[in-house]
Structures are given as structure tokens and as C-alpha cells.
Amino acid sequence: SGLMELRLSKSNIIEQIEYVYRFFKPEAESKGLKLSINNSIKGTDLFIITDREKLYAILTNLVKNAIKYTENGEIEFGCNCKEGLIEFFVKDTGIGIPESRHHAIFERFVQADIEDKMAYQGAGLGLSITKAYVEMMGGKIWIESKEGFGSVFNFTLPIDATNESELVLSKRSNDAD
């Protein structure tokens, strides 16, 4: 409804990804799914200025949906740096979404209209809130999906050192700052 505000702080992106992994690993394994992290970023820590709680909510919602709509196979998520942006992704081998529904799934109260009972669990707000959070933080979100072959949800967050944002890569053994 447009009433949310950003609470910016220095956040360790790698730590957040690892936390989401540890949180969802038991659920994924109970379904027989492989859950993995794939970060192309070198180093063990990646700090940026962002809204930590909103980023956590975004990652949580995307991984939770991937587990919900994947019956077998794997879910992979992570991030990489691209031209002043951090690009995150959540990739699954789930049921996929018809191309005609790619845009609609980000609208409030609209789901993918997949003829599957799982598609009707929930209020249809998760992806619209996820999109709103990504856009509030200056990023973009999009989907690549083919029905029957899985989905990849991608989103970006800006790295702009001239606008109170910074990117700091470090090794955990060198935490003497």
C-alpha cells in the first residue's frame, strides 16, 4: 500500500544467503530436493548498504516458492556482481510458469493460474510484495520460466558508492576493521 519505509544498514549479503540456505535445507531435504548456493563472488563476506529485513523477506519468499512448486530435482540460489549491481537468483526444476503469466504473477491477488492445487495455497500477495520491496530498494525483478521445466527468478540491487551505498568484499579471517 506504499506505507513501507527503508531501514538502511550495512548488511553482509553472503551471510544472509547462508542463513536462508540453513533455514530451508531441512524442508528441501524432506521433499527429496537438493538445495545449493552458487555465488560467483570471491571472498567470504560481501557488505552493502541495504534494508536487511526486506532482502531477507525477498530471498525467503522466492526460496519458499521454489520449494513449494518443485516436486523433484533441485533449487539453486545465490548472487553475483554485474555493472554496479548485485544480481540475485533463485532457480528451480519445478513446474514452471506459462509465458503468458510471467507478468501477472507479480500483481496483487493474482497467482500463476497453474492447474495445480498448490497454486491456490496462499493469498497471492507474496510475489507482489517481493516486487515492491525490490523496487523500493532501487532494483528490478524478472522471471525466466518454461512450463514443465522450472523457473529462475532474478532480481538486482544497486551498488552506488556516490549514493551512500558501498560494496566491501573481505575474508572472515580479516575482520579487524
Side-chain angles (χ1 to χ4, degrees):
S1 66
L3 299 176
M4 296 296 297
E5 61 183 51
L6 290 176
R7 295 175 192 256
L8 300 176
S9 63
K10 186 175 178 180
S11 300
N12 185 340
I13 302 304
I14 302 300
E15 191 175 87
Q16 281 194 277
I17 288 172
E18 289 173 354
Y19 179 82
V20 171
Y21 170 80
R22 286 189 306 275
F23 183 83
F24 283 109
K25 188 173 195 253
E27 184 178 347
E29 287 179 345
S30 74
K31 284 187 73 175
L33 301 173
K34 179 184 176 196
L35 182 66
S36 62
I37 297 172
N38 182 354
N39 291 324
S40 65
I41 297 167
K42 303 300 177 212
T44 55
D45 292 327
L46 170 60
F47 292 91
I48 65 168
I49 305 299
T50 193
D51 188 314
R52 178 179 174 84
E53 294 305 314
K54 285 181 180 53
L55 177 57
Y56 174 74
I58 292 164
L59 289 170
T60 298
N61 187 57
L62 293 176
V63 172
K64 181 187 264 185
N65 279 351
I67 291 170
K68 180 178 174 180
Y69 293 110
T70 303
E71 287 303 316
N72 53 60
E74 64 184 292
I75 297 159
E76 175 184 17
F77 68 106
C79 66
N80 56 69
C81 292
K82 286 187 175 180
E83 301 173 14
L85 299 171
I86 296 182
E87 186 175 307
F88 297 83
F89 70 92
V90 177
K91 179 181 181 180
D92 66 58
T93 57
I95 60 177
I97 299 168
E99 191 171 341
S100 63
R101 303 301 298 158
H102 287 188
H103 180 72
I105 62 169
F106 293 110
E107 295 175 13
R108 289 197 296 178
F109 308 112
V110 175
Q111 294 175 336
D113 290 342
I114 299 167
E115 291 186 28
D116 188 303
K117 65 181 188 312
M118 292 182 300
Y120 301 103
Q121 297 172 359
L125 287 171
L127 288 175
S128 67
I129 291 170
T130 297
K131 181 177 187 265
Y133 283 179
V134 168
E135 290 175 350
M136 277 180 75
M137 296 191 296
K140 295 182 177 163
I141 187 168
W142 67 97
I143 182 175
E144 300 166 24
S145 183
K146 185 173 180 184
E147 196 169 10
F149 293 95
S151 301
V152 182
F153 283 85
N154 299 282
F155 69 96
T156 58
L157 292 180
I159 301 169
D160 182 0
T162 63
N163 194 17
E164 296 185 38
S165 293
E166 62 180 56
L167 172 65
V168 179
L169 285 169
S170 64
K171 300 249 185 246
R172 286 198 180 119
S173 59
N174 298 336
D175 278 345
D177 55 285

